[in-house]
Amino acid sequence: MNKPAEHCAHKSVDVIQQRLTDYACELTYDALTPQAIHAAKVRVIDTLGALVGGFFGESCQIARSFAAQFPCPSGATVIGTRTKTTPDVAAFVNGTTARDGEINDVYYWPGSGGGHPSDLLAPVLAAAEHAGASGREFITGVVLAYEVYLRIADASKLAGFDTTNYACLGGAVAAGKLLGLSRDQLSHCISIAAISNNALGQARTGYLSTWKAAAAGEAGRAAVSAALLARCGMQGPHLPFEGKEGWCDHVAGKRFSLDTMGGGGTPFKISDTIIKVRATCASTISSALAAEKIAPLKDVADVNRVTVELYAKAKSSRGTGEHHWNPDNRYTADHSIPYVVAATLMDGTVSHRSFDDAHLWNPELRSLLKKIELVENPEFTAAHERLPVEHRTRVTVVTSSGERLVGETGGDKGELSEQRSDAWIEDKFRGFTEDYLGAKRVKSILDRLWHLEVIGNVAEIPVAFALD
């Protein structure tokens, strides 16, 4: 009689799956550095502020309507309301809402797959709330999720696949740990997440839809679902990363290892993500910052041409294709460098209001769009592909009289990836929350979030953000 496959003596081991399982099981709060703990708090504050800022977005309202069909008093909170739904659906709604406003953190490292690591926060918080986790356990889960996301992103590029796949993996590892999975269960959780949830990059290509934000939420839902399934005894496929039909060969496109992980003297990666300074796609921000230096223009009609010199990745991803000069909704517009530059030159800056219908269909803005040309600057590309990364961009406006106006950013002219002070983080948070929650509540929330490590049960966090 054959032995069950689970106990087969010759069953091969997936080294990546085992590495992630062992790392997650062994990581403790006491192993975290003060820098990593502080970085986790900053990103929790930043992401929750982004969530409130995006609460009334179209994709978010749809997501809440979906969640209303699955009430679950013992689950997790739909943040911004007093409603509870299942933990995985809460991760979907909250992840979608935090992502909608395009103001949550972003990651770029030469050779890395990049993306938005803060997409992890919603599934980690949903799992932590459902489990009644402490602030220290939650912080550990956040650092763990970021570490998994960023190390895998550094080791791979997802040709044709969306970077939310990294968030699904990192979120699943952290959710499994917070839900108290055994080592075997966590290993299965990782496998389920890796094999079953590989989103395609088409979600962020060409003309965009409301799914652009929801893709982040879906990654969070899948992460928590994988953990819940594994807790119930579901087994994941064998060799999820290194099998012949596994994640490495077919999603990452190559074999890789995770030899280096944070802890034991190795810095945690969470501090390497960029806190956004404008509510628009990360690859458009340097163009906006450069345009701000010569904006607002006195007479948009007097513009003869606008040249945007920038690094190759920004041009190829956010400045190539007819849709970038003719966006038909806010989701396409905030991923368009020509649109962001035009809006900035007209208004002096770019914000979430830059993508409303009044701006989107403004005849003057549409006319200005046609005068914008994007040109790769090899020097800027080189600066973007080495460490420390520089996001250099130059915007030159030539008027009908021949006057030249030049704005430049990046490197020593103001680098968007520079570290932000705690005071700056608080001001950004207040800007998105005070109109809805009031200054007194916001002050109290900030005090609790800066002292996450003393909270006994993180379930108190989501309910503090109820808007009603």
Side-chain angles (χ1 to χ4, degrees), residues 14-25 144 148 152 165 168-177 181-198 222-223 225-230 234-237 239-241 247 258:
D14 189 307
V15 175
I16 295 175
Q17 180 186 23
Q18 184 177 55
R19 172 67 163 141
L20 293 174
T21 302
D22 291 346
Y23 182 75
C25 289
L144 169 62
V148 172
I152 295 178
N165 294 315
C168 181
L169 293 172
V173 174
K177 182 177 179 70
L181 270 58
S182 69
R183 187 178 293 267
D184 283 346
Q185 288 174 330
L186 183 55
S187 181
H188 288 303
C189 165
I190 293 167
S191 177
I192 293 168
I195 293 298
S196 307
N197 305 287
N198 293 298
S225 178
L228 293 172
L229 283 166
M234 186 65 70
Q235 296 178 338
L239 300 179
F241 292 95
W247 202 89
L258 296 174

Side-chain angles (χ1 to χ4, degrees), residues 277-278 285 287-296 344-345 348-350 395 407:
V277 297
R278 296 292 183 270
I285 293 178
S287 296
L289 296 178
E292 285 179 8
K293 295 186 176 182
I294 53 176
T344 303
L345 290 175
T349 189
V350 63
V395 174

Side-chain angles (χ1 to χ4, degrees), residues 201-286:
Q202 191 62 29
R204 243 167 288 284
T205 302
Y207 286 97
L208 305 185
S209 72
T210 49
W211 189 256
K212 188 269 287 184
E218 176 61 13
R221 185 208 61 75
V224 176
S225 178
L228 293 172
L229 283 166
R231 188 173 66 174
C232 288
M234 186 65 70
Q235 296 178 338
H238 184 221
L239 300 179
F241 292 95
E242 299 176 337
K244 67 177 183 178
E245 300 293 341
W247 202 89
C248 287
D249 287 349
H250 294 278
V251 180
K254 67 175 184 178
R255 297 295 176 107
F256 62 89
S257 63
L258 296 174
D259 298 328
T260 302
M261 301 288 281
T266 299
F268 292 93
K269 287 288 290 182
I270 189 169
S271 298
D272 291 331
T273 71
I274 299 171
I275 303 297
K276 277 191 176 182
V277 297
R278 296 292 183 270
T280 184
C281 174
S283 297
T284 73
I285 293 178
S286 64

Side-chain angles (χ1 to χ4, degrees), residues 383-459:
H384 188 252
E385 294 177 351
R386 63 174 180 253
L387 292 174
V389 175
E390 295 181 358
H391 300 78
R392 296 178 60 186
T393 307
R394 182 185 298 127
V395 174
T396 303
V397 174
V398 179
T399 68
S400 57
S401 66
E403 181 184 9
R404 292 171 59 87
L405 305 172
V406 181
E408 188 170 344
T409 192
D412 60 4
K413 293 180 173 61
E415 177 54 50
L416 71 87
S417 60
E418 67 185 50
Q419 293 292 315
R420 307 293 164 179
S421 69
D422 290 353
W424 189 96
I425 296 296
E426 289 193 5
D427 285 344
K428 180 182 175 183
F429 183 84
R430 290 191 185 96
F432 286 112
T433 59
E434 281 194 349
D435 286 349
Y436 304 111
L437 302 174
K440 185 176 180 180
R441 279 179 68 189
V442 168
K443 184 177 185 298
S444 175
I445 289 170
L446 280 170
D447 180 67
R448 295 301 283 160
L449 294 179
W450 282 126
H451 297 90
L452 263 176
E453 70 275 13
V454 302
I455 293 179
N457 187 337
V458 296

Side-chain angles (χ1 to χ4, degrees), residues 84-133:
K84 280 194 170 185
T85 184
T86 60
D88 57 328
V89 173
F92 172 73
V93 181
N94 297 334
T96 299
T97 309
R99 190 74 166 78
D100 188 88
E102 271 298 329
I103 194 61
N104 55 330
D105 80 352
V106 69
Y107 180 68
Y108 178 76
W109 204 259
S112 173
H116 291 265
S118 48
D119 290 344
L120 297 157
L121 264 296
V124 176
L125 181 54
E129 179 187 2
H130 180 58

